[in-house]
Amino acid sequence: MLANYGYEDASGTYYITIDTDMCAECTDHACVGSCPAGLYDIILDDYDDEVAEIREEQRNSLRTLCSGCKAGGKTDWPCTAACAAGAIRHSW
Amino acid sequence: MNEERKEYWRWAESRWTNPEISDWQGRTITAGVDIGSTSTQAVILVDGELFAYSNMRTGSDSPESANHAMAWALEGTGMTLDDLQYTIGTGYGRVNVPFADKCITEITCHARGANRIYGPSVRTILDMGGQDCKAIHCDERGRVTSFMMNDKCAAGTGRGMEAIANLLGVDIGEIGDRSFQVEEEPKPVSSMCVVFAKAEVAALMRSGWSKEMVLAAYCRAMAIRVCKLLTRNKMEPDFAITGGIAKNKGVVKRIEEIMGVTALEPQGYDTQIAGALGAAIIAIDMLKKKRARGG
């Protein structure tokens, strides 16, 4: 499943996509520790798979919360780098 | 003298019992309760068949809303809460259903419910709720393959439409039909935010626009907004809409026009019960698992 967490507002579109089919096979959950803003959490989803999700209370602040990692146009973000399966994508 | 001011946003609450099911004892009885930000539904299935449901406004207390919705669904059926063998809570307030055996997200439940309401050919579901909007992609079993939601603001949601209904003094159930009573489709309102949209609507009225023109402009703006979400999450026919806004032809027809698709008909189902219906269907599987474990 492609889980898209985020929002669109007048300033733009900010979604983080997690491919939970890839995610379910991961055991090290490196994304959780990689994010300085603590966006990622591991949950048991509705299909009983252990997958990553973006914490609910942070989903509508992604632009601000991710700004530190994206400052200066950087593209080697800690979360995408930490995910060996390549299950994480950002829309912006 | 005490005068009551009419509230145009108040949509009709409803309940229904299947007249064809009278003998439910000894059969599998499951239920789903969907506590949304604006509305709450309770659905009861007997052997997987729709037996009864209620659809009412959510109060300030989620457990109380769940209790009221289920009590109303059970009313006159002879069934009690003790007869429910497995209940799933879903929606925004899903963790607050006092009598639920399990909680499941509304995204999973809506897909499963839409699969029942619209049939296994449905692939793209647009759930237009009270305070959020979700684009859901699913397979032929109603299993979610992708989803995208926007709950950042009330634009493109039922609450936004309610605000406009109250501002214009038009009953919410009449908005769809009246939005087509225009000679020419006006430009959509430009504001994404409901607060600013209300100010824009007031300015349009002052400049001589009719209520019908304003409704057309607002319905189109809402359609454009949700179509962006649909496109971003990949649009694939067959397409269906769930939630309260699915009852507003003014928005539905404009979405169809923009996306170049025709939304499936709900075959007599109330589109607002999709989440609770899906929860009650999933409850059947859960009950089987529970029984297999000897529970």
Side-chain angles (χ1 to χ4, degrees), chain B residues 190-203:
Chain B
S190 59
S191 297
M192 295 287 271
C193 164
V194 171
V195 176
F196 290 134
K198 280 176 75 175
E200 190 177 345
V201 162

Side-chain angles (χ1 to χ4, degrees), chain B residues 20-166:
Chain B
E20 290 171 13
I21 302 177
S22 53
D23 181 21
W24 46 264
Q25 268 148 351
R27 298 168 73 181
T28 298
I29 301 167
T30 60
V33 180
D34 182 358
I35 306 186
S37 58
T38 306
S39 66
T40 295
Q41 296 80 28
V43 166
I44 303 164
L45 302 182
V46 171
D47 284 343
E49 234 184 296
L50 188 56
F51 172 66
Y53 72 76
S54 66
N55 175 21
M56 58 200 300
R57 285 180 283 277
T58 300
S60 56
D61 182 288
S62 292
E64 204 173 282
S65 296
N67 287 333
H68 282 162
M70 185 52 79
W72 201 27
L74 290 166
E75 199 175 290
T77 63
M79 202 181 267
T80 69
L81 211 52
D82 290 338
D83 294 310
L84 306 179
Q85 292 155 11
Y86 204 100
T87 301
I88 288 179
T90 188
Y92 174 79
R94 60 184 173 273
V95 296
N96 292 312
V97 180
F99 48 90
D101 297 282
K102 190 177 171 74
C103 303
I104 289 189
T105 66
E106 65 272 30
I107 292 163
T108 300
C109 292
H110 266 277
R112 199 67 184 270
N115 178 271
R116 165 68 69 90
I117 293 174
Y118 298 100
S121 67
V122 67
R123 290 291 173 277
T124 305
I125 301 149
L126 177 66
D127 173 42
M128 299 184 72
Q131 285 185 22
D132 69 16
C133 183
K134 307 175 199 78
I136 305 167
H137 221 266
C138 69
D139 65 15
E140 72 284 357
R141 295 170 300 160
R143 192 181 161 106
V144 179
T145 50
S146 72
F147 72 85
M148 181 172 271
M149 65 186 288
N150 198 346
D151 61 356
K152 178 92 171 172
C153 74
T157 69
R159 189 66 91 193
M161 194 58 86
E162 288 175 0
I164 297 302
N166 242 12

Side-chain angles (χ1 to χ4, degrees), chain B residues 8 160-182 184-189 197 200-202 204-205 209-223 248-252 254:
Chain B
Y8 295 93
M161 194 58 86
E162 288 175 0
I164 297 302
N166 242 12
L167 181 68
L168 295 180
V170 175
D171 279 327
I172 195 129
E174 293 176 11
I175 286 179
D177 285 334
R178 288 187 63 175
S179 76
F180 291 116
Q181 292 167 13
V182 289
E184 197 179 324
E185 182 84 349
K187 281 199 294 188
V189 294
E200 190 177 345
V201 162
L204 290 171
M205 292 295 290
W209 280 38
S210 65
K211 288 183 180 180
E212 286 73 17
M213 284 173 72
V214 172
L215 290 172
Y218 191 78
C219 287
R220 177 156 290 272
M222 185 180 264
N248 182 329
K249 278 188 283 181
V251 177
V252 172
R254 287 175 174 91

Side-chain angles (χ1 to χ4, degrees), chain A residues 19-52:
Chain A
D19 186 331
T20 60
D21 294 334
M22 290 180 178
C23 202
E25 290 166 20
C26 172
T27 51
D28 66 354
H29 305 143
C31 55
V32 176
S34 72
C35 176
L39 288 181
Y40 295 88
D41 193 13
I42 302 297
I43 55 147
L44 196 62
D45 74 4
D46 293 338
Y47 303 106
D48 286 338
D49 288 321
E50 248 188 19
V51 299

